[in-house]
Amino acid sequence: MFLRSCSNSNYKIIWFDIETTGFNIFQNSIIEIAAIDNQEKKFQSLISYDKPLPKKIIEITKITDEMLCDQPNIVTVLKNFVDFIKSDQHPNKITYMIGHNINCFDIPFVKAQCAKYGIKFPKIYTIDTMRMSQYILVDQYSHSLAALCNLFGVCNSNAHRALSDVYTTRVIYDNLCLLFKQKFKKCDLNFLNYHTSF
């Protein structure tokens, strides 16, 4: 399912996800970025890393040192990702980036890495599907992506790889939007951003 609102010409919408070597936005590194926009344009790249990956990260993501050795470096990938965000961006068009836990993790991580390498991150607005879930699913114990996949019957066969999580998040987003529309009779992006992006 792909909501009609997602094709609104007034907005550019980008679902995205990152994989990293840890949770510290200043000390750890991004090793994968993936995104898809509401025109079905796709961005996906692994990123070279000059140290052995932590065993836990290999276990979770199935990304190995060998997979990263010939990949582009972080500066190249960040610049390409920023270009992807800015592509087809008109002065009056607002860009929304949607992801799971992006307000606390993905966006701060990407912005910190951009700042580290002197790359200007474009102005965007965010919709966090974890915040959406916390807002609308009041009886849900866990709001993790895996828990929501279980709730909505969504198969994420390659979980913790960025592109698979992006496609999964888009389906979760659509399901959450239906719940918002049932309860509030609306689920436009401005409404979602205002109520869930803190």
Side-chain angles (χ1 to χ4, degrees):
M1 178 176 56
F2 192 40
L3 293 182
R4 187 181 305 169
S5 62
C6 294
S7 63
N8 191 318
S9 61
N10 293 324
Y11 304 117
K12 178 168 184 173
I13 305 171
I14 299 170
W15 291 264
F16 94 109
D17 184 63
I18 63 173
E19 300 301 332
T20 69
T21 61
F23 298 108
N24 189 316
I25 66 173
F26 300 109
Q27 303 301 325
N28 294 125
S29 299
I30 301 172
I31 54 174
E32 186 177 32
I33 301 177
I36 185 168
D37 70 14
N38 55 328
Q39 302 301 318
E40 299 300 319
K41 294 177 182 176
K42 184 172 69 174
F43 180 94
Q44 192 276 329
S45 183
L46 290 167
I47 300 166
S48 63
Y49 187 61
D50 59 3
K51 302 174 186 176
L53 287 170
K55 290 182 180 179
K56 189 66 176 176
I57 297 302
I58 296 173
E59 178 185 326
I60 292 171
T61 66
K62 306 300 187 289
I63 296 171
T64 65
D65 296 320
E66 292 74 20
M67 291 168 66
L68 301 183
C69 63
D70 294 324
Q71 299 299 325
N73 63 35
I74 183 65
V75 174
T76 298
V77 175
L78 285 174
K79 286 181 177 178
N80 290 341
F81 184 50
V82 166
D83 287 343
F84 175 82
I85 295 170
K86 293 166 64 177
S87 65
D88 304 322
Q89 198 174 46
H90 303 292
N92 296 325
K93 183 176 283 191
I94 296 173
T95 297
Y96 279 94
M97 297 189 72
I98 302 174
H100 201 76
N101 197 29
I102 60 170
N103 285 350
C104 290
F105 186 71
D106 303 69
I107 288 290
F109 216 119
V110 171
K111 285 185 173 180
Q113 293 288 288
C114 283
K116 179 178 179 179
Y117 296 108
I119 300 167
K120 185 176 180 181
F121 192 77
K123 181 179 180 181
I124 55 95
Y125 294 87
T126 62
I127 303 290
D128 190 327
T129 50
M130 189 174 77
R131 298 279 180 86
M132 288 177 67
S133 176
Q134 290 170 334
Y135 191 89
I136 198 75
L137 296 172
V138 295
D139 295 323
Q140 181 76 8
Y141 175 75
S142 172
H143 299 272
S144 70
L145 192 62
L148 295 181
C149 284
N150 184 60
L151 177 67
F152 293 120
V154 177
C155 177
N156 186 6
S157 59
N158 205 9
H160 299 294
R161 284 302 304 273
L163 190 59
S164 182
D165 284 354
V166 166
Y167 282 116
T168 299
T169 298
R170 189 167 75 167
V171 176
I172 296 298
Y173 169 78
D174 284 351
N175 279 278
L176 291 171
C177 280
L178 292 175
L179 296 179
F180 268 83
K181 192 153 189 177
Q182 288 173 8
K183 183 170 182 178
F184 299 105
K185 311 305 180 188
K186 63 193 302 186
C187 66
D188 61 85
L189 293 164
N190 291 333
F191 178 85
L192 295 175
N193 175 265
Y194 179 80
H195 285 283
T196 65
S197 295
F198 302 105

